[in-house]
Amino acid sequence: MARNIGTVSRGVRCPIIRQGDDLASIVVESLLEASQTDGFDFNDRDVVGITESIVARSQGNYASTDAISQDIKEKFGDHTIGVIFPILSRNRFAVCLRGIAKGAKKIVLMLSYPRDEVGNELLTLDQLDEAGIDPYAQVLSLEEYRAKFGENRHPFTDVDYVAYYQEIIEEAGAEVEIIFANQAKAILDYTDHVLNCDIHSRKRTKRILEAKGATVYSLDQILAKSVDGSGYNSEYGLLGSNKSTEDSVKLFPHDANEMVNAIQAVLKEKTGKHIEVMVYGDGAFKDPAGKIWELADPVVSPAYTSGLEGTPNELKLKYLADNDFSDLSGDALKEAIASRIKSKDQSLVGKMESEGTTPRQLTDLLGSLCDLTSGSGDKGTPIILIQGYFDNYTND
């Protein structure tokens, strides 16, 4: 009998993970138990996603604001620090800022406007238009910002992030000056010692400032190694971290490739199937209402098995039906399209029949599906099983 269901994404429950837990065993046991209780089988090229949160928790990859402070002091000494382009987030940056401020005497906080890098709004474009301000040409002081725009609260969290970040810095014992600008070099009018906190544009920002002779560290260089036994991430530092407590963060997981390969091997032994495994964080998509780009992590997937490398190689069925086989219908159309799929090239890059398919990394697509399935609240499903993702129209 032909199969009528394509891709299925399941959230799988597991115990609450603590530091030191054997996560690989827990993942495998949870999947096997779910297959029994919910009545599904495993297949070759199924995909298991594990949220980065439980990976980092099992690793104990945490750091205190004191550890952040010590690293900041070692890198910047007593210099005024320009902290530029942070995102507006209580979960993602506020605790990091507290640690940074504890290690500084004075901070010049430079916020991008009207939105941060991932779309959190300080102002609307209409407000800028009405004020006649070009955000790419004008630098605003805090006084100018308040005079022109007053208090602006985040539409989702109801937080005035300008006041909130100012309070965090002052409570940590540092002096603070706040400016608003979108050109990295604007900070050099205030200090030549800079911590750039942008995520996806960080390399360009660092290059621009270093070309001007500034001393620059990016957020991925803070806690890139352990400070007095703290957690760390050698590749991403504080990028991808989340609030744990008011004075500590959970860092992005490190060295997880060994774990995903081990899980794949055990699943092969237990099920007889070749199953791909990945760790996922934020999905890579944009909310059309809030205009927030979800991806506050440096990458969607920091670890995955080799079968998840690359991008999709898919034909666009709509294109084939409307163009190559526009004179066919019914079984004849189905057979013609199935034949074309079976004989498609190994690479469809640049081919019209692939136009409109998604040319993104498989891990970005799958990680986004995992993130949407697991959610970020109390669903309790940090393990995701995706089945049928690599099937096409010809698979029964």
Side-chain angles (χ1 to χ4, degrees):
M1 176 182 286
R3 175 161 56 89
N4 292 313
I5 300 296
T7 301
V8 175
S9 181
R10 290 183 173 90
V12 178
R13 294 174 179 171
C14 76
I16 302 299
I17 303 300
R18 297 294 189 189
Q19 180 176 346
D21 285 348
D22 183 352
L23 184 58
S25 295
I26 291 172
V27 169
V28 171
E29 290 167 6
S30 298
L31 286 164
L32 295 175
E33 182 177 350
S35 73
Q36 294 298 314
T37 58
D38 287 55
F40 61 83
D41 296 320
F42 295 97
N43 308 296
D44 287 325
R45 299 219 75 189
D46 285 353
V47 179
V48 171
I50 307 156
T51 182
E52 59 83 20
S53 176
I54 64 171
V55 179
R57 275 163 42 205
S58 69
Q59 294 175 338
N61 203 20
Y62 294 86
S64 67
T65 53
D66 288 339
I68 297 172
S69 168
Q70 184 173 329
D71 205 2
I72 291 292
K73 288 177 182 177
E74 290 176 357
K75 288 180 168 62
F76 289 99
D78 291 334
H79 292 282
T80 295
I81 304 172
V83 176
I84 70 172
F85 301 152
I87 64 172
L88 307 175
S89 174
R90 295 170 296 177
N91 177 46
R92 289 290 191 168
F93 189 71
V95 179
C96 294
L97 180 60
R98 182 171 288 111
I100 294 164
K102 287 170 71 172
K105 290 188 173 181
K106 179 178 179 179
I107 284 177
V108 179
L109 180 65
M110 190 171 93
L111 301 174
S112 53
Y113 74 107
R115 296 174 181 272
D116 70 10
E117 179 186 4
V118 297
N120 292 294
E121 188 175 82
L122 274 178
L123 302 167
T124 66
L125 289 172
D126 288 337
Q127 284 177 291
L128 291 181
D129 291 343
E130 290 168 5
I133 289 176
D134 179 354
Y136 297 98
Q138 293 176 256
V139 178
L140 301 178
S141 67
L142 177 59
E143 292 73 19
E144 290 170 325
Y145 169 84
R146 290 299 189 196
K148 292 180 182 294
F149 304 111
E151 179 184 77
N152 290 274
R153 293 183 171 273
H154 192 282
F156 292 162
T157 64
D158 196 39
V159 173
D160 178 349
Y161 276 98
V162 177
Y164 180 48
Y165 280 4
Q166 181 177 2
E167 291 168 5
I168 286 174
I169 295 170
E170 291 175 342
E171 288 173 358
E175 182 184 349
V176 59
E177 181 175 0
I178 299 177
I179 62 173
F180 303 81
N182 291 305
Q183 300 285 355
K185 62 185 180 182
I187 194 64
L188 299 180
D189 290 335
Y190 302 83
T191 180
D192 60 357
H193 284 71
V194 182
L195 176 65
N196 68 295
C197 301
D198 43 341
I199 305 164
H200 307 291
S201 55
R202 64 188 183 276
K203 292 181 180 179
R204 177 176 182 267
T205 298
K206 192 168 191 280
R207 171 176 56 78
I208 288 170
L209 292 173
E210 287 183 334
K212 296 290 186 180
T215 298
V216 188
Y217 291 94
S218 298
L219 208 60
D220 58 7
Q221 295 176 282
I222 308 303
L223 292 191
K225 60 181 181 180
S226 179
V227 174
D228 290 339
S230 73
Y232 68 97
N233 189 300
S234 60
E235 187 171 5
Y236 299 119
L238 283 177
L239 290 179
S241 63
N242 286 273
K243 176 180 178 179
S244 176
T245 69
E246 292 299 329
D247 286 297
S248 65
V249 293
K250 176 193 65 59
L251 299 169
F252 215 41
H254 58 78
D255 304 321
N257 278 307
E258 182 177 343
M259 183 195 71
V260 297
N261 288 321
I263 292 173
Q264 183 181 58
V266 176
L267 285 172
K268 177 70 172 179
E269 177 187 339
K270 299 288 187 180
T271 69
K273 305 298 181 181
H274 181 85
I275 297 172
E276 305 295 348
V277 184
M278 65 183 291
V279 175
Y280 69 92
D282 274 350
F285 47 82
K286 186 173 182 177
D287 169 37
K291 306 298 189 294
I292 295 172
W293 184 28
E294 178 71 8
L295 187 56
D297 287 327
V299 291
V300 174
S301 178
Y304 49 88
T305 49
S306 60
L308 296 179
E309 294 176 355
T311 59
N313 189 55
E314 299 174 344
L315 295 168
K316 189 75 169 180
L317 298 191
K318 181 178 70 173
Y319 180 89
L320 294 177
D322 290 348
N323 291 272
D324 294 28
F325 307 123
S326 59
D327 58 332
L328 300 178
S329 62
D331 288 343
L333 176 59
K334 179 179 179 179
E335 291 172 7
I337 288 179
S339 178
R340 180 65 65 86
I341 291 173
K342 291 175 180 177
S343 63
K344 67 182 177 183
D345 293 342
Q346 291 300 307
S347 175
L348 294 169
V349 174
K351 304 292 179 64
M352 290 300 293
E353 58 264 39
S354 69
E355 184 181 16
T357 58
T358 308
R360 293 166 58 188
Q361 296 295 316
L362 289 168
T363 50
D364 293 344
L365 294 164
L366 287 161
S368 298
L369 177 56
C370 287
D371 188 32
L372 287 167
T373 303
S374 62
S376 58
D378 58 7
K379 287 184 171 60
T381 55
I383 302 167
I384 305 299
L385 176 65
I386 299 173
Q387 298 187 295
Y389 188 84
F390 292 103
D391 290 353
N392 59 45
Y393 190 59
T394 68
N395 295 118
D396 290 329

